[in-house]
Structures are given as C-alpha cells and as structure tokens.
Amino acid sequence: MAAVAACLPGVAHGEPDQRSSAPRAARLQQSVCRWCYASIPLRDFCQAVAKIGLTAIDLLTIEEWPVAREFGLTCSMGSGLGGPIERGLNDPANHDSIINGLRGGIPLAARAGVPNVITFFGNRRGRSDKEAIANSVTALNRVKGVAEDNDVTICIELLNSKVNHKDYHGDRTVFGVEVVSAVNSPRVKLLYDIYHMQIMEGDVIRTIRDNQQWIAHYHTGGVPGRNEIDDSQELNYPAIARAIADIGFTGYFAHEFVPRRDPLASLREAVVLCEV
C-alpha cells in the first residue's frame, strides 16, 4: 500500500502515515464516487478514503460492498440494481426488470447497511413529460413498499441532457419533484447532482432550499468539465455545502468529479473545501 500512501498529501514516500482515520466531525457527511478513481485498486482506494477521514464510498456494486466494510466504510449509494441510465422508469417496458432488481437487491442492501440505491428516469424517446411522469410514478409505487419495509431509500438521479446524457428525461428538478411528490414515500427521493443541474438550470442553492424534502443525496462536480471543484470552475462549493448543512441535511454529499491532477490529493482538497 506504499504507493497509495505516497499519493496522500503530507505523507512522504516510505514514511508511516500518522494521521487518524477517525471520521471527521462535521455537519455534512461526505462520500466519494468509486468510478472516478477506477484506476486505483478497490482495496487501495478504500484504505486511502478511510485515511482521508471519509466514512463512505458511493456507487459500489453488491460484490464490492463487503470490501468497503473491511475498511470500516459504508456504501452510501448501491448501484447496479435499478437498471441502466437510458432504459428507465419512464418506459413501462423496463418496469419489470427494474422492479425485480430493486426488490431483490433492497433487502440485501439493508442487511449490508447500505442506506440508498440508485435508479434512473431513462431517455425520452419521444415521450411527453406527462406520460413519463405517470409511468415513473406507477413503477415506483410498485416497489416503494419494499424500500419502506427495509429502510432503504430509492434515489432517482437528475442528469443533464445538454452535455453528457442526450435525451435523458429527468433533466430538471421540477420533473423529478413531480414524480417523487406523487409517490409520496419517505423512501423514494431524488439524487440531486449539482454538476448536472448547474448545466441545466443553475440557481442551485435556491433550488435545494425549495425542494429539500424531496432530495436524499447529492453529487458534486466542477462546471464545466466535471473536474475538481476548486476555483478552476464556476460553482461556489463552500457556499453550497454550507447551504445544505444549514437546512439540516443528514444524508450523504458525495464527490463525483474526475480528477485531472493527483486523484487522492484532489479528493482530500475537495473534502476540506466542503467541511462545514
């Protein structure tokens, strides 16, 4: 693991890391998305994340959940259960596969201490908002009972359709809120991706405050480019983090930027930047 230690800020190559791996005392629970660090072997990454002071990793599959637990980490968002991005809740043809995946996976998530699982609205493919909302509500009503019984939250992600996910239907907060408010379950909420929603609509802090009851999870990313969240991009992440903490949010605020520099140094800087 010496290579990982060498990547950590403040740790010279060959020297032991004397810093505590205890969770950080902060008002915001920070996490990090695994896929952004795919070049680092999972166990090495888990060790580094724990040393940085985080307690969770986002978007791990069922097979990866036990690895995170070996290092005292929670999987803050389980992936691979709710279908692919393009074929989502807005199309009845996808409902059985999505619902079966969630029904089978949610009890496993509960037993593994995974608080959230992800699913998607899917691509438009010519559907109107009205039709897509009705279809999404129908699907979620079929599976919300399993989520409620197991105390696991189904999170539907909002994504931009301008740059990264052409034709994606859930590309506006108002669309997502209309769906989850109609389902009206404490275990069916939105994953508000700050990067994606800045691209589509901006006004991030006001939107978060106005819709806080429908949001269970956040993702970060610098705009433009989805890189580091420092002063090289346009979003004011310290202000956003404070606003989220100030509304009493108790879920996870997960970093999902693709580092251009030393990946673990960039992650540590982002964690410090968003400590409130």
Side-chain angles (χ1 to χ4, degrees), residues 5-275:
C7 293
L8 291 169
V11 181
H13 182 71
E15 294 181 1
D17 182 8
Q18 301 298 326
R19 290 169 303 172
S20 171
S21 61
R24 295 174 178 274
R27 294 191 297 143
L28 202 58
Q29 291 191 98
Q30 296 188 58
S31 178
V32 57
C33 292
R34 165 61 179 156
W35 73 267
C36 305
Y37 303 84
S39 63
I40 303 175
L42 181 57
R43 281 185 168 79
D44 291 1
F45 184 59
C46 288
Q47 182 188 53
V49 166
K51 286 182 178 179
I52 286 171
L54 296 178
T55 61
I57 299 179
D58 240 43
L59 301 179
L60 296 176
T61 62
I62 289 177
E63 295 77 16
E64 294 170 324
W65 297 348
V67 179
R69 298 295 291 179
E70 288 176 24
F71 294 86
L73 300 169
T74 298
C75 172
S76 44
M77 180 67 67
S79 69
L81 305 175
I85 291 172
E86 299 85 359
R87 298 192 298 276
L89 299 163
N90 66 345
D91 184 353
N94 305 323
H95 285 184
D96 285 349
S97 62
I98 293 171
I99 290 164
N100 289 340
L102 291 172
R103 282 179 175 165
I106 285 172
L108 299 177
R111 288 198 289 273
V114 177
N116 306 295
V117 295
I118 192 169
T119 191
F120 303 95
F121 288 113
N123 285 5
R124 286 179 172 83
R125 295 188 170 93
R127 288 180 191 83
S128 68
D129 284 0
K130 182 178 179 180
E131 181 184 2
I133 289 167
N135 291 342
S136 297
V137 170
T138 295
L140 292 164
N141 278 335
R142 288 176 58 189
V143 74
K144 69 182 182 182
V146 176
E148 291 166 0
D149 290 345
N150 286 275
D151 292 329
V152 171
T153 301
I154 299 169
C155 293
I156 314 102
E157 186 165 16
L158 300 171
L159 303 170
N160 85 74
S161 60
K162 180 180 177 182
V163 177
N164 304 106
H165 300 281
K166 300 293 186 180
D167 201 45
Y168 187 73
H169 216 138
D171 62 355
R172 302 278 179 171
T173 305
V174 66
F175 175 92
V177 168
E178 191 161 349
V179 172
V180 296
S181 62
V183 176
N184 196 29
S185 168
R187 292 301 175 184
V188 177
K189 302 285 186 179
L190 297 175
L191 193 172
Y192 183 93
D193 190 300
I194 298 164
Y195 161 80
H196 287 297
M197 291 301 96
Q198 170 68 3
I199 289 172
M200 294 304 300
E201 58 191 24
D203 200 19
V204 168
I205 290 176
R206 187 197 309 272
T207 302
I208 287 168
R209 287 172 176 162
D210 289 349
N211 298 283
Q212 58 184 279
Q213 71 188 100
W214 308 116
I215 299 170
H217 201 83
Y218 292 91
H219 280 169
T220 74
V223 179
R226 187 148 222 155
N227 302 122
E228 280 82 355
I229 62 171
D230 55 20
D231 60 5
S232 65
Q233 51 84 54
E234 67 193 34
L235 285 157
N236 184 346
Y237 270 99
I240 293 169
R242 283 193 300 272
I244 293 171
D246 287 347
I247 61 176
F249 179 70
T250 58
Y252 285 95
F253 180 88
H255 295 293
E256 195 183 21
F257 62 86
V258 179
R260 291 174 296 187
R261 305 189 298 273
D262 180 304
L264 296 177
S266 288
L267 175 59
R268 183 171 179 83
E269 289 169 6
V271 170
V272 172
L273 187 72
C274 293
E275 285 183 337

